[in-house]
mmCIF file of all heavy atoms in Angstrom:
data_model
loop_
_atom_site.group_PDB
_atom_site.id
_atom_site.type_symbol
_atom_site.label_atom_id
_atom_site.label_comp_id
_atom_site.label_asym_id
_atom_site.label_seq_id
_atom_site.Cartn_x
_atom_site.Cartn_y
_atom_site.Cartn_z
ATOM 1 N N LEU A 289 -31.037 22.980 12.443
ATOM 2 C CA LEU A 289 -31.403 21.998 11.449
ATOM 3 C C LEU A 289 -30.403 21.780 10.389
ATOM 4 O O LEU A 289 -30.139 20.726 9.692
ATOM 5 C CB LEU A 289 -32.795 22.102 10.841
ATOM 6 C CG LEU A 289 -33.875 21.924 11.813
ATOM 7 C CD1 LEU A 289 -35.204 22.308 11.208
ATOM 8 C CD2 LEU A 289 -34.003 20.416 12.299
ATOM 9 N N MET A 290 -29.724 22.949 9.988
ATOM 10 C CA MET A 290 -28.814 22.962 8.877
ATOM 11 C C MET A 290 -27.332 22.962 9.168
ATOM 12 O O MET A 290 -26.441 23.064 8.383
ATOM 13 C CB MET A 290 -29.136 24.152 7.957
ATOM 14 C CG MET A 290 -30.484 24.209 7.475
ATOM 15 S SD MET A 290 -30.713 25.459 6.249
ATOM 16 C CE MET A 290 -30.772 26.861 7.288
ATOM 17 N N SER A 291 -26.993 22.665 10.404
ATOM 18 C CA SER A 291 -25.595 22.783 10.857
ATOM 19 C C SER A 291 -24.966 21.369 10.976
ATOM 20 O O SER A 291 -25.295 20.679 11.855
ATOM 21 C CB SER A 291 -25.552 23.508 12.159
ATOM 22 O OG SER A 291 -24.156 23.711 12.634
ATOM 23 N N SER A 292 -24.130 21.070 10.079
ATOM 24 C CA SER A 292 -23.436 19.793 10.140
ATOM 25 C C SER A 292 -22.252 19.746 11.077
ATOM 26 O O SER A 292 -21.586 20.797 11.341
ATOM 27 C CB SER A 292 -23.049 19.530 8.698
ATOM 28 O OG SER A 292 -21.678 19.148 8.638
ATOM 29 N N LYS A 293 -21.962 18.628 11.537
ATOM 30 C CA LYS A 293 -20.771 18.402 12.312
ATOM 31 C C LYS A 293 -19.506 18.464 11.366
ATOM 32 O O LYS A 293 -19.765 18.504 10.130
ATOM 33 C CB LYS A 293 -20.755 17.059 12.976
ATOM 34 C CG LYS A 293 -21.655 16.949 14.171
ATOM 35 C CD LYS A 293 -21.586 15.579 14.867
ATOM 36 C CE LYS A 293 -22.513 15.419 16.070
ATOM 37 N NZ LYS A 293 -22.459 14.158 16.664
ATOM 38 N N ASP A 294 -18.405 18.494 11.905
ATOM 39 C CA ASP A 294 -17.161 18.556 11.000
ATOM 40 C C ASP A 294 -16.680 17.141 10.801
ATOM 41 O O ASP A 294 -16.784 16.356 11.681
ATOM 42 C CB ASP A 294 -16.086 19.435 11.734
ATOM 43 C CG ASP A 294 -16.495 20.911 11.856
ATOM 44 O OD1 ASP A 294 -17.332 21.382 10.930
ATOM 45 O OD2 ASP A 294 -16.155 21.571 12.811
ATOM 46 N N LEU A 295 -16.018 17.077 9.678
ATOM 47 C CA LEU A 295 -15.448 15.646 9.286
ATOM 48 C C LEU A 295 -14.145 15.324 10.044
ATOM 49 O O LEU A 295 -13.276 16.219 10.270
ATOM 50 C CB LEU A 295 -15.175 15.794 7.842
ATOM 51 C CG LEU A 295 -14.637 14.418 7.196
ATOM 52 C CD1 LEU A 295 -15.745 13.382 7.272
ATOM 53 C CD2 LEU A 295 -14.283 14.683 5.670
ATOM 54 N N CYS A 296 -14.085 14.151 10.502
ATOM 55 C CA CYS A 296 -12.804 13.659 11.175
ATOM 56 C C CYS A 296 -12.605 12.217 10.855
ATOM 57 O O CYS A 296 -13.434 11.403 11.323
ATOM 58 C CB CYS A 296 -12.811 14.023 12.598
ATOM 59 S SG CYS A 296 -11.270 13.362 13.354
ATOM 60 N N MET A 297 -11.633 11.892 10.017
ATOM 61 C CA MET A 297 -11.486 10.468 9.644
ATOM 62 C C MET A 297 -10.070 9.887 10.307
ATOM 63 O O MET A 297 -9.662 8.942 9.781
ATOM 64 C CB MET A 297 -11.415 10.375 8.163
ATOM 65 C CG MET A 297 -12.815 10.486 7.560
ATOM 66 S SD MET A 297 -14.034 9.138 8.045
ATOM 67 C CE MET A 297 -13.297 7.806 6.964
ATOM 68 N N ILE A 298 -9.664 10.561 11.244
ATOM 69 C CA ILE A 298 -8.420 10.106 11.818
ATOM 70 C C ILE A 298 -8.245 8.625 12.193
ATOM 71 O O ILE A 298 -7.308 7.958 12.076
ATOM 72 C CB ILE A 298 -7.961 11.006 13.029
ATOM 73 C CG1 ILE A 298 -6.483 10.721 13.510
ATOM 74 C CG2 ILE A 298 -8.840 10.737 14.216
ATOM 75 C CD1 ILE A 298 -5.494 11.480 12.611
ATOM 76 N N GLU A 299 -9.463 8.111 12.713
ATOM 77 C CA GLU A 299 -9.567 6.663 12.993
ATOM 78 C C GLU A 299 -9.582 5.694 11.945
ATOM 79 O O GLU A 299 -9.354 4.529 12.095
ATOM 80 C CB GLU A 299 -10.809 6.463 13.888
ATOM 81 C CG GLU A 299 -10.821 7.028 15.275
ATOM 82 C CD GLU A 299 -12.132 6.774 15.941
ATOM 83 O OE1 GLU A 299 -12.530 5.599 16.155
ATOM 84 O OE2 GLU A 299 -12.823 7.774 16.299
ATOM 85 N N HIS A 300 -9.892 6.261 10.702
ATOM 86 C CA HIS A 300 -10.212 5.350 9.584
ATOM 87 C C HIS A 300 -9.201 5.462 8.440
ATOM 88 O O HIS A 300 -9.631 5.103 7.281
ATOM 89 C CB HIS A 300 -11.660 5.558 9.116
ATOM 90 C CG HIS A 300 -12.583 5.453 10.371
ATOM 91 N ND1 HIS A 300 -12.894 4.242 10.956
ATOM 92 C CD2 HIS A 300 -13.308 6.393 10.960
ATOM 93 C CE1 HIS A 300 -13.793 4.472 11.935
ATOM 94 N NE2 HIS A 300 -14.047 5.712 11.964
#
Side-chain angles (χ1 to χ4, degrees):
L289 291 173
M290 294 190 288
S291 184
S292 127
K293 287 183 178 176
D294 295 328
L295 182 65
C296 177
M297 286 295 284
I298 192 82
E299 288 178 63
H300 307 291

